[in-house]
């Protein structure tokens, strides 16, 4: 199996269940509260570890209790942490997450050490992950760092998966250097902001594919995903599960896709694995609690 690396954010999530999202100025009484590991980059790394893929995390934490807890958590889930720095005098990133009765969430992030993932740090991170072949990136560390990482990884001949989240417009040369782009609906609109507001999914996906060899895998939640290539667009259906908390479903989807590619699976099969992993992720509270093993994901795939 090919080695994977994740370059990205590490957050400790503070998750509170609420009957509904509050209006401005309103105070609600919530329900269950948990402090759980999260962050888009770390979520993808842990999901890969759960799926049995060899994975190394590159990121930064603070020299605090959250940072120490996270390093132990990575190791317990099969994630290599040699490229994770603990920054003195800095807090680990945190995310405050409200989850409503429908399993929907809203999130506020304080970047902490994630904001210190600068270009000097990137030099060390790329050196520490040079033996990896498949790289996953997101946009919760500074955008300049992500853009430079993509450019340099392209020159190194690595396979690059970019989850363009949180949604922001991206430089054209960065998009051109990505092998697999995995936007959800909001992110798809953000990275095709030059198109008409009325442009549909297929037009946006075709625009991103263009004449390149780039693959666009458009995440659609319970509806599955759409694969866009130069040969056209194919829908890969999702799996029906009872959603409890959608936090990190997209991150787990990305990990499933990367794991399938790392195992040498055909693209459609890798996307089915991504759909199954993402579906199982929403069946438990917290960013990582529902992340499945490969066996659990394959069992769901076998059920259709």
């Amino acid at each position: 199996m090919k080695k994977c690396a994740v370059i990205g954010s590490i957050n400790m999530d503070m998750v509170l269940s609420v009957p509904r999202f509050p209006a401005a100025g309103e105070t609600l009484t919530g329900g269950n509260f948990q402090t759980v590991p999260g962050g888009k980059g770390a979520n993808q790394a842990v999901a890969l570890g759960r799926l049995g893929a060899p994975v190394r995390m590159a990121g930064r934490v603070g020299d605090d209790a959250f940072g120490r807890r996270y390093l132990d958590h990575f190791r317990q889930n099969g994630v290599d942490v040699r490229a994770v720095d603990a920054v003195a005098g800095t807090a680990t990133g945190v995310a405050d997450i409200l989850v409503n009765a429908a399993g929907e969430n809203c999130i506020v992030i304080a970047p902490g050490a994630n904001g210190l993932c600068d270009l000097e740090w990137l030099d060390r991170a790329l050196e520490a992950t040079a033996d990896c072949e498949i790289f996953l990136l997101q946009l919760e560390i500074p955008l300049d760092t992500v853009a430079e990482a993509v450019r340099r990884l392209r020159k190194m001949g690595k396979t690059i998966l970019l989850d363009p989240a949180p949604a922001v417009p991206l430089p054209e040369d960065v998009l051109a250097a990505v092998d697999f782009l995995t936007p959800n609906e909001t992110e798809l609109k953000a990275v095709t902001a030059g198109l008409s507001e009325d442009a549909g999914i297929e037009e946006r996906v075709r625009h991103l594919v263009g004449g390149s060899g780039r693959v666009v895998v458009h995440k659609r939640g319970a509806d599955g995903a759409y694969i866009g290539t130069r040969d056209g667009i194919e829908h890969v259906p999702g799996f029906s599960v009872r959603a409890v908390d959608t936090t990190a479903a997209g991150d787990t989807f990305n990990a499933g896709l990367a794991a399938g590619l790392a195992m040498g699976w055909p693209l459609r099969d890798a996307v089915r694995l991504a759909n199954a992993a993402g579906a199982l992720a929403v069946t438990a509270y917290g960013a990582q609690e529902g992340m499945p093993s490969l066996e659990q994901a394959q069992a769901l795939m076998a059920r259709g």
Side-chain angles (χ1 to χ4, degrees):
M1 186 185 292
K2 293 180 179 179
K3 293 181 181 179
C4 299
V6 180
I7 299 176
S9 58
I10 303 170
N11 288 330
M12 192 61 72
D13 291 350
M14 293 179 284
V15 185
L16 175 63
S17 63
V18 292
R20 56 179 173 78
F21 298 136
E26 181 183 15
T27 299
L28 287 180
T29 298
N32 185 53
F33 174 78
Q34 299 179 69
T35 303
V36 293
K40 285 188 173 297
N43 288 340
Q44 293 179 12
V46 170
L48 276 162
R50 296 262 182 95
L51 289 166
V55 56
R56 188 171 304 151
M57 180 70 208
R60 304 191 98 168
V61 296
D63 61 343
D64 54 13
F66 283 166
R68 292 188 291 274
R69 176 180 167 188
Y70 223 129
L71 290 173
D72 288 341
H73 179 70
F74 277 139
R75 296 185 185 103
Q76 292 165 8
N77 284 279
V79 179
D80 184 329
V81 296
R82 73 184 74 177
V84 178
D85 295 341
V87 185
T90 300
T92 299
V94 296
D96 289 332
I97 303 174
L98 299 181
V99 181
N100 69 14
E104 301 167 324
N105 64 65
C106 62
I107 304 172
V108 178
I109 294 172
N114 295 310
L116 301 179
C117 292
D118 54 18
L119 296 181
E120 181 181 349
W121 166 82
L122 180 63
D123 290 339
R124 300 193 300 275
L126 292 180
E127 182 178 354
T129 55
D131 60 325
C132 298
E133 299 165 271
I134 297 176
F135 283 74
L136 290 79
L137 299 100
Q138 332 72 36
L139 305 177
E140 282 187 341
I141 61 174
L143 185 58
D144 287 349
T145 302
V146 177
E148 182 62 17
V150 170
R151 295 178 183 118
R152 291 172 61 178
L153 289 168
R154 169 55 53 223
K155 292 179 180 178
M156 295 165 68
K158 306 298 185 180
T159 298
I160 306 168
L161 282 75
L162 176 63
D163 181 7
V168 294
L170 292 169
E172 286 298 325
D173 70 309
V174 172
L175 288 174
V178 170
D179 296 292
F180 296 87
L181 189 70
T182 62
N184 65 16
E185 185 173 6
T186 300
E187 296 146 10
L188 181 64
K189 290 181 178 179
V191 295
T192 57
L195 297 182
S196 164
E197 182 67 25
D198 296 331
I201 291 172
E202 292 193 6
E203 181 180 352
R204 293 181 187 276
V205 170
R206 289 194 182 96
H207 174 79
L208 288 172
V209 172
S212 70
R214 182 192 310 117
V215 176
V216 177
V217 182
H218 172 42
K219 305 188 296 285
R220 295 288 295 178
D223 189 36
Y226 288 82
I227 303 173
T229 67
R230 283 180 294 187
D231 295 329
I233 299 175
E234 178 184 8
H235 178 228
V236 182
F239 298 90
S240 178
V241 296
R242 180 180 176 272
V244 172
D245 181 359
T246 59
T247 306
D251 299 328
T252 310
F253 177 100
N254 280 279
L257 175 61
L261 296 172
M263 291 186 288
W265 289 14
L267 178 57
R268 191 180 193 282
D269 292 342
V271 172
R272 284 197 79 233
L273 174 60
N275 283 341
L280 290 169
V282 309
T283 61
Y285 283 106
Q288 298 175 11
E289 190 64 29
M291 289 177 175
S293 66
L294 180 60
E295 291 74 19
Q296 289 170 323
Q298 288 180 311
L300 181 60
M301 293 166 70
R303 294 200 297 270

